[in-house]
Each structure stands twice: as C-alpha cells, then as structure tokens.
Amino acid sequence: MQEEAARRTVDELVTLYELEPEVRDIFVEGRSDRNFLRVHLAPESESTLCNVYAVSDRVHIPDGELISAGLLTGERGRIVWLAQQLSVKLPGHSSVALVADKDFASLNADTKEEVNGLLYTDYSSIEAYALNDSTLNKLLRVTFGAPDYITASVLTSAIKPALISLFLIRLCLRESGTGATLPGKVLNKWDLDDQSQSKILEAFRLALHGVPASERNGQTSDALYSNYLEYQSKLESEFRNYINGHDVSLLLVRFLKTECAGVFNSDARRPLQKPEVLETVLMSCVEASDLAGERMFQVLRRWVREGTWDS
C-alpha cells in the first residue's frame, strides 16, 4: 500500500528531477526485476541517491496513454512510454534509467527505439542472464545436489530447442491479432524432445480453439505455422535472444523430473517443483561475476557512479 500511495505523474517526476538533480532513479518492468537490479547494483548505488522501482509502483500510467502512443499495453509499454515522455519534458536528462526487456526485438517484432535513458536487456528477458554455465552449475550442485553427469551444458542443450519453439509460438500468436494465447494444458505438458511440425500445429490449433471463430481474423494453424517458419529462418546463434523468461523455470522442472526426479524427494526441495518458486531460486544463483561482461550492466553501473551515459 505504501508503494501505491507513492505513485507520481510524469510532470511530478519532472519537477522532482529539476529541483533535485542529484536524485537518480531506475525504472524496471516488475518487482522481481527490481529486486534483481537492487542487489547487483548495490555496490554502486549505496553511496548515491539512486533507487530502483517497478514502474507501476512509482508512476501512474493509464493503458489509454499507451494505446494513444501506439504501444502495447503492459509494463514494457509503460517503460518505453515513460522514456519517451521524459525525453521530451526533460531533454538530455541523466536523472533516470529505464530498463525494458528486449522481448521480440531481435526478430524486429518489438520496438528497440533509441531514447535517452532507455536501456534494453542484452537478451530477450532478465531471466536470460541466468542461462550461463556458472549459474546453472550452482543451481544443479548447491540447490539440487544433482548427479555429476547432469551439467549446465547438458541442461542447456536439453531445454534450448523447446525454449525457442515456445518463444516463436508466442510471437506468432501475438502477431495474429486474435488475442489467442498458449493454453496452460499445452504449456505444462510440453515435451522437451518433440519440436515437430505436428506438435507446433497442434499448439496453434488449441490456441485458436480458445478464441471465437468470429474473432480469429481468418487465421488458421497452417497460416500461423507458416509465420513460425518465417521467424525461425531469422534466428541467429545467441539463443538467449529467443526465450520467454517464465518458460525457463518451467522447462528446468521438466528436465529435472525426467533426468533425476529424485532431487525433488526431500521436503526442502519439493516446493521447487513449482516453476515460480524455482525461478526465484534460479535468479538468486546469479553472481556479480556472471554479469560483469554484459553491456547493460556495464552501462548502468557507470551511470549510477558517474551520472553519465558517455563511454
């Protein structure tokens, strides 16, 4: 309730930054992103007046403003909209850093507009920063006590094809304009070893089945699959650009249950079968050294220390 009460309008924020130029704020999409950045920017931010906020906790931005600006509703749209507003109302400012997930921008399906203070994650989502050998080995060895033959590279190789397939399915459904979404029953039973045409077509068929025929805009599972293949042809080597962040923990659970289900037998580990719980633990395994070479964190750390975007 305190965070809700503290929400400001854009004009109120502008006034704050004009009157108190030493204040610097970071806005992110959600509270888990906020917590992650607070921890990993603490060495720089503790000696400055720098705070990290989930955008909707701090700023009042109605959906109507996003629609009027031609942006998708949601927290990413709020970040982009706020960056645009501040660039007009406070030109050349160094008061605010705004962090948005890159999402589908690597396939040119989401904006990656260059706006003062607006940063995009190096990969499709914040969760992708956990997909490195150091973090995954820590999760496997410390959190789960997994058998030695289950390594980070084995895990990554097993879940990568499914992560990419689900990412492309979500993109095709969003771009269809039907409002269709991937049904939970499909997602929860997704087979790591089957990314076949028939599997993808069935996912599209079930997604469209949840939308009234009059609202499908003539879309069919075959048409969506054609779009899927077109996007698939544009993929490049860095698979972390093509994942939905919340799919990571879901597929991690699926992999572990298939390869070494006994890791969930203890009372302490049984709750980790819930993807939302495992996601929190996974992100807690990321070390500062894992992020040291990532451009977004380099830029943020320099800005927190020096208040400048210059290299």
Side-chain angles (χ1 to χ4, degrees):
M1 294 298 293
Q2 291 179 338
E3 288 175 307
E4 177 74 17
R7 292 204 302 172
R8 299 173 182 267
T9 66
V10 176
D11 288 337
E12 288 171 337
L13 282 180
V14 170
T15 300
L16 169 66
Y17 300 137
E18 287 176 334
L19 295 176
E20 301 184 44
E22 70 280 7
V23 171
R24 291 201 293 278
D25 290 332
I26 300 172
F27 294 103
V28 297
E29 293 185 29
R31 292 177 182 175
S32 59
D33 296 349
R34 173 199 65 188
N35 296 341
F36 187 70
L37 262 67
R38 278 181 178 174
V39 167
H40 288 287
L41 295 176
E44 290 80 16
S45 63
E46 285 175 353
S47 60
T48 67
L49 292 176
C50 182
N51 292 299
V52 186
Y53 299 100
V55 63
S56 288
D57 285 342
R58 183 63 167 162
V59 194
H60 178 61
I61 306 174
D63 283 351
E65 296 286 1
L66 306 183
I67 295 169
S68 295
L71 296 169
L72 293 173
T73 57
E75 301 312 280
R76 186 184 193 274
R78 286 180 169 79
I79 290 287
V80 174
W81 183 88
L82 181 57
Q84 293 171 343
Q85 294 296 307
L86 291 175
S87 71
V88 172
K89 296 174 181 289
L90 206 61
H93 72 83
S94 59
S95 298
V96 182
L98 304 106
V99 176
D101 282 349
K102 192 157 63 172
D103 279 1
F104 299 114
S106 293
L107 292 173
N108 297 317
D110 272 318
T111 180
K112 200 181 173 192
E113 182 180 355
E114 296 295 326
V115 180
N116 181 52
L118 178 58
L119 301 174
Y120 295 93
T121 52
D122 295 283
Y123 312 109
S124 57
S125 69
I126 284 280
E127 290 80 9
Y129 288 111
L131 290 176
N132 59 74
D133 285 357
S134 173
T135 299
L136 294 176
N137 275 323
K138 183 178 178 182
L139 180 79
L140 290 168
R141 303 280 86 79
V142 179
T143 304
F144 285 106
D148 290 343
Y149 66 86
I150 303 295
T151 65
S153 59
V154 168
L155 188 159
T156 301
S157 295
I159 68 174
K160 180 167 69 173
L163 283 171
I164 294 172
S165 292
L166 291 172
F167 180 85
L168 295 177
I169 289 170
R170 293 179 189 279
L171 172 56
C172 292
L173 290 174
R174 193 194 75 174
E175 296 298 285
S176 72
T178 63
T181 57
L182 195 60
K185 63 181 181 180
V186 174
L187 182 60
N188 292 333
K189 295 181 179 180
W190 197 265
D191 189 341
L192 296 179
D193 297 322
D194 184 5
Q195 314 307 315
S196 63
Q197 177 178 344
S198 60
K199 182 69 176 290
I200 307 302
L201 282 168
E202 178 69 359
F204 284 137
R205 186 186 69 79
L206 291 172
L208 289 174
H209 184 70
V211 177
S214 60
E215 298 176 15
R216 295 177 191 171
N217 299 329
Q219 293 285 355
T220 65
S221 55
D222 286 332
L224 291 176
Y225 185 68
S226 177
N227 294 337
Y228 177 97
L229 292 178
E230 182 177 350
Y231 282 123
Q232 189 180 54
S233 71
K234 299 176 182 178
L235 299 178
E236 297 182 354
S237 59
E238 179 50 81
F239 85 96
R240 288 177 290 182
N241 282 327
Y242 314 113
I243 67 166
N244 176 279
H246 298 308
D247 289 341
V248 174
S249 55
L250 178 78
L251 297 183
L252 278 172
V253 171
R254 182 68 42 77
F255 171 82
L256 291 168
K257 284 187 172 182
T258 301
E259 299 297 327
C260 49
V263 298
F264 292 111
N265 286 344
S266 72
D267 290 341
R269 293 173 181 150
R270 199 164 291 118
L272 298 179
Q273 296 177 88
K274 293 183 177 181
E276 61 272 22
V277 176
L278 181 56
E279 182 177 303
T280 300
V281 175
L282 174 65
M283 299 309 292
S284 298
C285 289
V286 179
E287 301 282 359
S289 57
D290 299 324
L291 304 174
E294 303 291 4
R295 179 184 178 277
M296 188 190 78
F297 281 89
Q298 292 174 343
V299 171
L300 274 176
R301 284 170 174 152
R302 182 174 63 248
W303 173 77
V304 173
R305 288 194 309 268
E306 305 170 9
T308 179
W309 301 113
D310 298 331
S311 301

